[in-house]
Amino acid sequence: MEKPLLPRESGQFIAEQSRDVFVEDEGVQKVAEMLYGLQHSDELTASGWKKANPLAPAPTSDQALNWVFVVDTMNFSFWPEEETQQCEVTYKGTTHTGYMTLCAAITRAMEEGVPITDPKYFSQMNVEELGRVLRSDNETPMPMLRERHQVLTEGGRVLLEHGGSFRSFISQAGNDAQRMMELIVEKIPSYRDEATYEGKRISFYKRAQILVADYWGIMAARGQGDIINMDWLTMFADYRVPQALVYLGALRYSDTLMQVLKNGELLSSGDRREVEIRGCSIWCVELIKDRLHKLVQERDGQPCSVNSVIIDFYLWPYAKQHHKEMAHIPIHHTRCIYY
């Protein structure tokens, strides 16, 4: 079977063929200008990792690396069936929803003495034990418990085969972000985020890329972020960043697709429209990054170090912070283990 196109090439291929999602040049310029104004702020650096992950252990410990592996392996499908029925986890007086419920639940379990970041434990835990770790404060459980259990135990077994920790596993790839991502996708089946579009095998590798980016963020927070090929990674194609890109005018949905999403229609993983939303988001961020680099070169006469990962690190919280203003733009809903 042919190897799939890598995420960046997949994004370009999809954007060139797309029927329902379009990259808008004016919006790309607008977002690049917005980021140009932020380029000297902490918001566009990797060293803000702890600020972006307030519930993680201190980045100085290798426990933080295993925590990231556990969280990123189960980092998918947090949206509720009904907006009023959010899964909630309260930790230290703050009630979290969405992705942060997972972070809060894992950190809460650590405080309760559950060795949830130890691959020896989580490779063998049963579904009831994981259900207790991920328990919600209300009647709405975290979705896809059985799938989360399956991917976490599978991931734990892989770590045990490669030295018993995420650090020992990932170190096989040296300091190369591309090799790290390829290693993750090759060894851990749940990270193989691939589809077929217009007869071609394509890939997004959202969680694999986040795992590499989080590893980079922790190492950068330690002053050891000298990982090469970070530019090779793309944004992480999910459901929150596309909404922000549409809101900012850099992406546009056809009227038909907009109506489908407003009707709350579930898109299956690999559906043409779902693939177009994710692929065009990747390519849109690549164009924003290229435009930003050009602006910095033209106006400041120097190279720009902002990569697609950092742009994603900015856009995802931006979407969360402005969720009320962008409530009129529907997010797409796909129940799967990839995002």
Side-chain angles (χ1 to χ4, degrees):
M1 197 163 150
E2 65 167 334
K3 278 184 116 170
L5 293 176
L6 290 164
R8 178 179 285 103
E9 290 69 33
S10 295
Q12 182 173 10
F13 175 72
I14 293 162
E16 285 166 356
Q17 319 280 327
S18 181
R19 287 179 262 163
D20 280 298
V21 186
F22 311 97
V23 178
E24 297 286 279
D25 196 60
E26 265 182 55
V28 165
Q29 181 69 27
K30 177 185 151 189
V31 178
E33 293 279 2
M34 181 173 99
L35 296 174
Y36 177 81
L38 292 167
Q39 61 171 324
H40 301 300
S41 72
D42 273 355
E43 291 184 90
L44 292 187
T45 64
S47 56
W49 189 86
K50 183 61 182 156
K51 188 176 156 197
N53 294 272
L55 299 173
T60 47
S61 73
D62 272 6
Q63 190 175 44
L65 294 173
N66 280 348
W67 183 93
V68 149
F69 181 81
V70 168
V71 166
D72 287 347
T73 298
M74 295 192 286
N75 180 3
F76 52 82
S77 208
F78 299 104
W79 52 270
E81 298 291 341
E82 301 288 335
E83 269 311 310
T84 52
Q85 294 181 321
Q86 291 263 18
C87 168
E88 293 177 351
V89 172
T90 302
Y91 176 71
K92 291 197 169 168
T94 303
T95 299
H96 300 279
T97 58
Y99 162 70
M100 295 306 285
T101 56
L102 176 64
C103 301
I106 299 303
T107 302
R108 175 183 65 188
M110 289 166 65
E111 288 205 351
E112 291 169 351
V114 180
I116 189 62
T117 58
D118 183 347
K120 285 196 209 61
Y121 173 76
F122 68 74
S123 63
Q124 295 182 31
M125 72 190 302
N126 61 40
V127 73
E128 290 74 27
E129 287 171 306
L130 184 62
R132 171 148 181 79
V133 165
L134 300 182
R135 70 190 182 277
S136 171
D137 293 348
N138 57 24
E139 299 300 305
T140 308
M142 198 174 289
M144 301 182 79
L145 177 63
R146 292 200 171 277
E147 290 84 351
R148 290 183 207 279
H149 175 257
Q150 187 181 340
V151 301
L152 184 61
T153 51
E154 167 197 272
R157 288 192 293 272
V158 173
L159 295 192
L160 291 181
E161 288 162 14
H162 297 272
S165 72
F166 178 52
R167 180 78 180 264
S168 60
F169 169 74
I170 205 71
S171 65
Q172 298 171 87
N175 261 12
D176 187 323
Q178 177 178 352
R179 284 176 58 202
M180 287 177 193
M181 198 209 76
E182 288 168 347
L183 176 73
I184 293 162
V185 169
E186 180 199 342
K187 300 291 183 190
I188 311 175
S190 77
Y191 280 88
R192 289 176 204 150
D193 178 7
E194 300 166 0
T196 300
Y197 179 76
E198 299 295 341
K200 257 202 185 327
R201 293 288 298 156
I202 50 103
S203 69
F204 301 112
Y205 299 145
K206 185 253 183 182
R207 287 195 295 111
Q209 297 201 86
I210 280 196
L211 186 51
V212 174
D214 279 342
Y215 176 76
W216 176 55
I218 290 176
M219 299 316 276
R222 293 180 181 187
Q224 300 167 10
D226 53 344
I227 291 167
I228 62 166
N229 272 337
M230 283 304 296
D231 273 350
W232 186 85
L233 300 181
T234 68
M235 63 77 78
F236 318 126
D238 67 352
Y239 46 85
R240 186 67 71 186
V241 174
Q243 183 193 33
L245 292 171
V246 173
Y247 174 73
L248 292 166
L251 269 191
R252 177 173 59 83
Y253 294 164
S254 70
D255 293 344
T256 319
L257 176 59
M258 195 59 108
Q259 200 50 57
V260 161
L261 299 181
K262 283 183 173 169
N263 293 343
E265 187 181 316
L266 203 64
L267 302 183
S268 59
S269 181
D271 179 283
R272 175 185 63 78
R273 297 159 299 179
E274 184 250 4
V275 167
E276 288 182 1
I277 291 170
R278 298 183 78 200
C280 290
S281 298
I282 286 177
W283 190 239
C284 183
V285 170
E286 289 304 303
L287 294 177
I288 290 167
K289 177 188 73 175
D290 291 348
R291 196 71 54 89
L292 173 63
H293 285 208
K294 202 170 164 193
L295 288 177
V296 174
Q297 190 64 55
E298 285 171 357
R299 294 175 187 176
D300 307 338
Q302 61 189 43
C304 174
S305 62
V306 173
N307 56 36
S308 298
V309 169
I310 287 173
I311 295 173
D312 189 290
F313 279 174
Y314 174 76
L315 288 174
W316 194 85
Y318 178 91
K320 290 281 277 185
Q321 285 153 15
H322 295 81
H323 71 278
K324 285 187 177 140
E325 298 99 296
M326 52 178 88
H328 62 288
I329 299 160
I331 62 172
H332 73 282
H333 285 140
T334 300
R335 274 279 180 241
C336 67
I337 64 168
Y338 301 119
Y339 64 102

